[in-house]
Amino acid sequence: GQGQQALRRVLLRYAVIDRDVGYCQGLAFIAALLLTYMPEDDALFSVAAVLQSPAQLRGMYLPGMDSTQRMLYVYTKLGEHFMPQVWNYFDKCGIHCSMFMTGWVLPLFCRGFGFDITTRVWDILSINRDMKIVYRVALALVKSVEAEILESDFEQILALFRELPTKVDAERLFKIVFSINLHRDKITALEEVRA
């Protein structure tokens, strides 16, 4: 359809602009979100602006995905800090955060989540230009189903995370998001350890 063709053109044009990233399927969800709000040329400009922003999102889509690996490390450490019982249970069950977090973070909550959640994340990310909101939302998503996690086995936990984007309540989620006392200096210190 017309929307798919516009999405394809935006992704191919971005691949020409940024040959290091090239054509990246992970960007499709971000470009699709932007295309729902703006014309094709503006969506292309916005994809480029988002990836070149101070939040350094571009690194998540480069070959090797070093920034994504660093994010997984930081997220794991934050999870151990804020929810030690859940993270210990993940270890016991053989769950690594890459099994669920990358599906949320690489498309920046544009895949599977309702617009009420996605647009709030993007508003905050656009204003603050800081990945702190991404960590807070990813932590809050786990916190929102903490009790269920602790009563589930490996397969049930993965099923819970697969269904979570369509079942999570935005109002409840953002109450949890803003209750997480996370500061930029904590993230920076963890990033430096992983650098």
Side-chain angles (χ1 to χ4, degrees), residues 102-175:
T102 50
W104 300 339
V105 172
L106 282 178
L108 290 172
F109 304 101
C110 293
R111 180 180 177 208
F113 289 92
F115 276 95
D116 52 347
I117 292 172
T118 302
T119 53
R120 286 186 198 188
V121 170
W122 275 78
D123 281 347
I124 295 166
L125 184 61
S126 298
I127 291 166
N128 295 334
R129 297 177 170 260
D130 187 341
M131 292 297 284
K132 183 170 68 169
I133 187 61
V134 174
Y135 289 114
R136 288 173 88 179
V137 171
L139 289 166
L141 284 164
V142 173
K143 185 82 171 155
S144 74
V145 290
E146 183 175 12
E148 294 96 320
I149 289 168
L150 296 173
E151 296 173 358
S152 300
D153 62 20
F154 177 87
E155 294 295 330
Q156 292 168 327
I157 292 169
L158 293 183
L160 178 67
F161 284 136
R162 273 192 304 272
E163 297 168 5
L164 187 58
T166 60
K167 294 187 174 186
V168 67
D169 176 69
E171 294 302 319
R172 181 172 175 256
L173 178 68
F174 278 89
K175 283 180 183 172

Side-chain angles (χ1 to χ4, degrees), residues 69-80:
Q69 296 303 320
R70 186 171 35 259
M71 284 188 73
L72 288 170
Y73 172 80
V74 171
Y75 181 67
T76 298
K77 294 301 180 188
L78 293 173
E80 290 170 356

